[in-house]
Amino acid sequence: MKLEQPERSTRAGLTPKEARELFRAGLSVPTAGYSAGYAQANLIIVPKDLAFDVLLFAQRNPKSCPILGVLEAGQTSNELLVDGDIRTDLPKYTVYENGEKIAEPTDLTEYWRDDLVTFIVGCSFTFEAALIENGISIAHIDHGTNVPMYKSSIRSASAGSLTGPMVVSMRPIPAAQVADAVRITSRYPAVHGAPVHVGNPEEIGITDLGKPDFGDAPLMPDGAIPVFWACGVSPQAAVMESRPTLAIGHAPGHMLITDARDSQYQVP
Amino acid sequence: MKLEQPERSTRAGLTPKEARELFRAGLSVPTAGYSAGYAQANLIIVPKDLAFDVLLFAQRNPKSCPILGVLEAGQTSNELLVDGDIRTDLPKYTVYENGEKIAEPTDLTEYWRDDLVTFIVGCSFTFEAALIENGISIAHIDHGTNVPMYKSSIRSASAGSLTGPMVVSMRPIPAAQVADAVRITSRYPAVHGAPVHVGNPEEIGITDLGKPDFGDAPLMPDGAIPVFWACGVSPQAAVMESRPTLAIGHAPGHMLITDARDSQYQVP
C-alpha cells in the first residue's frame, strides 16, 4: 500500500474501511474530504476510573460532546469501525499526561492499556456537508484550511473532576444565509446541532478572531457574520484543565472515519 | 400537614415542591395527576462503582432510559428538585439487593450511603398529557389504574455488567389515531419518544396482555390497537437480571415530581 495522499476524488470515494487501512499503514494527514457521506468523529480516551466523569460530562454537555458510541475497557472496535482498531486507525492522536500534551503519535501502541475506555464523539464535518448541499459555502473548506476553534468564556457544565471552557468552532456565514444555517444544523443534534452564538465574538470572550486556539486563522468575507458552534474538542479542553494522569484524543482535524452515514444523524 | 390524599383538583394544582413536601411528610400514593404540567421521572440509584455501567446503559438505550439529570455521589438535590431531597421526596421506593426486591420503603434513610449516584430518568406521563391534549384518550387514566408494563423479548443493549429485557408500556389506541399517537410522541424524545412496536404483542414476546409484569391489567376497547413504548422500568429490569449488590428505584407509579415543565421536553 502506498502512503502518498490519494487524489482528491480518490479520497472522497474510499470506503471508511479503506481510509482507516491507509491511516493504519502510516498515512498521517487531515481527514477532511475522505469518504464522502460518512460521519467522521472526535475521540476522547481515558482510564476506566475517569470514564464515569467523561460520560457524565457528555450527558451534561450534549451540544459540545454528543456521544456516538463507547468502547468499553479492553474493546478496540465496534459497529462504528467494523474490522477496525481504535489504536491505529486514526492518522494522528494527541496524548496528555497530567493535562500536558506529551506526544502526537500516529498510533497508540506505545500508550495503550487494557483499562482505557474510548468515547467516539460527533463532529461538525457531518453538518458541513449538509450546509454545502444547501448552497451555503464553508470558507475553510474553500480555502483548504482547518476550521478555526476558540476556547470561549462559556463554561462547560462540570462533571466530577472535569471542568473547562466550551470550545467553539467558527464559520463566517453571509447575513442572508444565517437563518438557513441555523435551521439546517438544528436538524443534526447528534453532531453539535444549532449554533451556540451568532455574531459579536467579544460576548463569548473571543477578542481576536484571527488568533484561534486550535485550527487555522479564518478569512472573513465582507458582510459575513461569525457563527459559532459547540465543538467536540471541548472534552479535551476539560482534560487539559482538570489534569488527569492520562488522556488521549484525536489530533485536531485528524478524525476517526466511521462506518455510519452522515444522513443517519439527521432528524426530520 | 395532613397526610390524606388531597382532592383531585388540589393535587393537580400543587407545585412540585408542595407535592414533594407531602410525600416527604409520609403520604405514600401513586403520583399520577399531581402537579399538572410538570414532568415526573423514574429513579435508578446505584453505588458509584456501578454508575458508569448505568450511564452507559442509558447512552445505549436512549428510548427506554432517557436521562434528565444525574446526582453525583453525595448529592441529594439539583435543579430538577430545588430544595428537595432525593432520599425522602418520593412517595415510595423499591430496594434491590443482589437483584432481589427486599423492601418498598417510603424513605431511604435506612439504606442511604454517601457513595450512591442517582439517575433521574424521563417518564411517559409527560407524553400522555400531550396525547390527551390532542384528543387521544388514555385508557388507564380514564379507569384510574396504573399503565400495564411488560418484559418484552426485545433485549436492551448491554453495558458492562448490565443486561436485561426492554420493558414496554402499552396503551390501547383506536386504529384511526395510531398515526397521530406516533407523531405526537415522536416530539418527546427525552421521555421515550415514538413507540417501539405497534400491534401484534406476540412478536415481542407478550403472550397475554391481561397479565402485565408491572402495573394493572388493561381494558382493551373494541377496535383498539395495542401500542408499545419503551419504559423507564427497563434499567430496573436490568438490575434485577444482573444482580448488583445494591440498587434502588422508585416504586412503579410512585415517581419523582420534578420542577421541569413537560413542555421543556418537546422538540419542534
Side-chain angles (χ1 to χ4, degrees), chain A residues 48 51-53 55-56 59-60 67-72 75 117 119 158-161, chain B residues 48 51-53 55-56 59-60 67-72 75 117 119 158-161:
Chain A
K48 183 152 175 39
F52 176 67
D53 288 357
L55 192 51
L56 186 59
Q59 195 274 332
R60 290 181 175 165
I67 299 283
L68 305 185
V70 178
L71 304 180
E72 298 185 47
Q75 207 186 345
V117 177
F119 299 88
S158 64
S161 57
Chain B
K48 184 151 174 41
F52 176 67
D53 288 357
L55 192 52
L56 187 58
Q59 195 274 330
R60 290 182 175 165
I67 299 283
L68 305 184
V70 178
L71 305 180
E72 297 185 50
Q75 208 185 342
V117 177
F119 298 88
S158 64
S161 58

Side-chain angles (χ1 to χ4, degrees), chain A residues 30 140 143-150 170 209-219 252-253:
Chain A
H140 67 269
H143 297 111
T145 59
N146 201 348
V147 65
M149 295 163 268
Y150 308 85
M170 191 283 289
L209 281 179
K211 295 185 177 160
D213 295 293
F214 311 92
D216 295 320
L219 283 170

Side-chain angles (χ1 to χ4, degrees), chain A residues 70 72 75 79, chain B residues 52-61 154-166 238 241-242:
Chain A
V70 178
E72 298 185 47
Q75 207 186 345
E79 71 285 355
Chain B
F52 176 67
D53 288 357
V54 171
L55 192 52
L56 187 58
F57 183 90
Q59 195 274 330
R60 290 182 175 165
N61 297 282
I154 306 168
R155 296 293 293 177
S156 294
S158 64
S161 58
L162 288 177
T163 180
M166 182 191 286
E241 187 167 313
S242 308

